[in-house]
């Protein structure tokens, strides 16, 4: 019997990677301002009083300002009608000084999310949620793609620069995370399996993965039994435990004994999501001014 004790997984530091990306972004914003007199600008639309949404929006605003992006928050009361939100979006679409528009989800019940997303000008859709940008991603064209999967891809590439031929398993198939993640990994020439709530034998499916990205919103869903030794594990889940602490979808302690590399929660995907929102805003500003779109991938 072998006495070899497996070495613990490398923890991928999302805060450190996000900080490095913000330095690149700040340099780019400085060039845009000094050489082209362009101030990249992000408008966030926040409807209602969901406390988590308010925290997320405040974090996005602070992060934008740190790299020199102008940000404005359009805060509307919970009872705002769909037409009023559409009117605001129309105004922001037409405003040449606004380069990026983000509607913070979820929206109150009286507002249809799909109708609102359809109303965002695709060139300003920094969350990458319009049908046009989703189609561009699926068709292999350039566009604005969802920030969380972009952040996950950068986290993966920080430890595995060559992805071609690797088997990637994505748990979750939302338009926000799972589907665009699968598309980005396909673009990298991975073999991709997408797992969802109707899939059978989660452990057997995730064990196929050299890379496993988990975005289900179910604390501790993926355990050591579902991980191939040496795999790269990206935990997107954010779940608040009864004691108020944040928990991912992956059993970190147990999986870290099997995986090759793993992201923590918090401090993994979260900071990268915000950094790529800023990257999308800078990219949108460049495209709207017919400048070459910078590449902020790793
Ligand atoms: P959704 O609820 O929209 O999607 C969850 C997905 O997980 C669905 O496709 C669902 O399947 C699947 N799923 C649920 N239960 C299981 C299961 N037991 N086995 C396999 N698949 C399952 O969530 P999001 O994609 O928006 O977000 C996922 C998580 O990521 C959440 O915790 C969210 O808070 C977090 N998040 C974190 C971000 C960050 O920056 N760190 C950003 C965005 C999200 P089905 O389609 O069949 O229902």
């Amino acid at each position: 019997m072998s006495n070899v004790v497996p070495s613990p997984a490398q923890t991928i530091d999302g805060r450190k990677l996000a900080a490095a990306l913000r330095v690149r972004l700040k340099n780019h914003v400085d060039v845009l301002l000094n050489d082209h007199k362009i101030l990249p600008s992000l408008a966030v639309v926040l409807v209602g009083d969901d406390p988590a949404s308010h925290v997320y929006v405040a974090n996005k605003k602070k992060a934008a300002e740190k790299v020199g992006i102008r940000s404005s928050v359009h805060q509307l009361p919970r009872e705002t009608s769909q037409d009023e939100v559409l009117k605001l979006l129309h105004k922001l679409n037409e405003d040449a000084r606004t380069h990026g528009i983000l509607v913070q989800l979820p929206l109150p019940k009286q507002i249809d999310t799909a109708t609102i997303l359809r109303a965002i000008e695709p060139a300003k859709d920094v969350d990458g949620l319009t049908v046009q940008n989703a189609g561009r991603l699926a068709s292999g064209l350039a566009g604005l793609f969802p920030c969380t999967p972009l952040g996950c891809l950068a986290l993966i590439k920080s430890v595995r620069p060559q992805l071609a031929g690797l088997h990637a398993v994505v748990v979750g198939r939302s338009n926000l995370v799972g589907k665009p993640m699968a598309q980005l990994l396909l673009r990298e020439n991975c073999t991709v399996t997408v797992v969802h709530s109707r899939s059978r034998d989660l452990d057997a499916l995730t064990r196929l993965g050299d890379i496993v990205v988990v975005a289900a919103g179910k604390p501790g869903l993926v355990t050591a039994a579902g991980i191939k030794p040496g795999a790269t594990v990206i935990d997107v889940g954010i779940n608040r435990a009864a004691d108020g602490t944040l928990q991912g979808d992956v059993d970190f302690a147990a999986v870290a004994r099997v995986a090759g590399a793993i992201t923590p929660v918090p401090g993994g995907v979260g900071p990268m999501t915000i950094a790529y929102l800023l990257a999308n805003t800078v990219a949108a500003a460049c495209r709207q001014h017919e400048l070459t779109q910078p590449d902020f991938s790793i």
Side-chain angles (χ1 to χ4, degrees):
M1 216 168 87
S2 158
N3 286 329
V4 178
V5 179
S7 51
Q10 172 188 352
T11 300
I12 310 172
D13 188 342
R15 290 195 180 109
K16 199 166 145 192
L17 275 177
L21 177 56
R22 283 198 302 270
V23 170
R24 288 166 66 198
L25 283 164
K26 172 94 182 65
N27 289 338
H28 213 93
V29 170
D30 288 347
V31 171
L32 283 176
L33 193 58
N34 296 332
D35 296 0
H36 303 278
K37 308 289 168 251
I38 299 167
L39 174 61
S41 162
L42 171 68
V44 181
V45 178
L46 174 60
V47 190
D49 38 28
D50 177 54
S53 292
H54 277 259
V55 173
Y56 292 146
V57 168
N59 288 344
K60 288 168 186 174
K61 185 170 165 55
K62 209 162 76 188
E65 283 161 4
K66 265 193 193 159
V67 301
I69 293 176
R70 184 174 73 103
S71 78
S72 54
V73 180
H74 300 262
Q75 210 166 309
L76 303 171
R78 187 164 50 88
E79 57 281 3
T80 304
S81 71
Q82 182 167 296
D83 276 354
E84 281 172 276
V85 182
L86 290 173
K87 248 185 235 155
L88 171 60
L89 287 177
H90 182 70
K91 213 172 85 189
L92 295 171
N93 284 343
E94 296 295 309
D95 177 17
R97 286 167 313 166
T98 298
H99 302 108
I101 302 171
L102 178 159
V103 177
Q104 183 67 39
L105 302 178
L107 290 165
K109 284 194 186 72
Q110 73 278 15
I111 300 173
D112 178 50
T113 303
T115 304
I116 294 300
L117 294 179
R118 259 202 309 277
I120 300 172
E121 160 58 45
K124 298 188 177 188
D125 166 32
V126 285
D127 250 349
L129 290 176
T130 56
V131 170
Q132 288 86 344
N133 279 317
R136 289 183 151 269
L137 176 58
S139 307
L141 301 171
L144 292 168
F145 305 144
C147 315
T148 300
L150 286 175
C152 292
L153 186 62
L155 289 161
I156 295 166
K157 284 187 152 182
S158 74
V159 291
R160 289 193 112 140
Q162 303 302 329
L163 298 182
L166 296 182
H167 195 145
V169 179
V170 179
V171 183
R173 56 172 166 178
S174 69
N175 291 342
L176 185 66
V177 190
K179 278 186 209 147
M181 186 75 250
Q183 294 290 355
L184 285 172
L185 289 162
L186 262 182
R187 280 192 175 211
E188 296 290 333
N189 296 313
C190 289
T191 300
V192 181
T193 299
V194 179
V195 180
H196 47 78
S197 69
R198 307 290 184 90
S199 301
R200 292 179 191 158
D201 201 346
L202 176 74
D203 283 350
L205 290 167
T206 54
R207 243 188 344 255
L208 297 171
D210 303 301
I211 294 157
V212 181
V213 181
V214 192
K218 299 276 181 280
L221 178 69
V222 171
T223 65
I227 297 299
K228 183 202 266 197
T232 301
V233 180
I234 307 294
D235 190 354
V236 183
I238 302 180
N239 309 287
R240 199 166 283 283
D243 64 1
T245 55
L246 290 185
Q247 233 182 303
D249 289 350
V250 175
D251 177 351
F252 183 91
V255 169
R257 287 195 283 272
V258 182
I262 182 168
T263 58
V265 177
V269 175
M272 292 300 278
T273 295
I274 297 191
Y276 273 96
L277 168 67
L278 310 180
N280 274 350
T281 305
V282 173
C286 291
R287 287 183 117 212
Q288 282 158 49
H289 289 275
E290 290 171 0
L291 297 171
T292 312
Q293 187 171 323
D295 179 5
F296 292 116
S297 61
I298 282 192

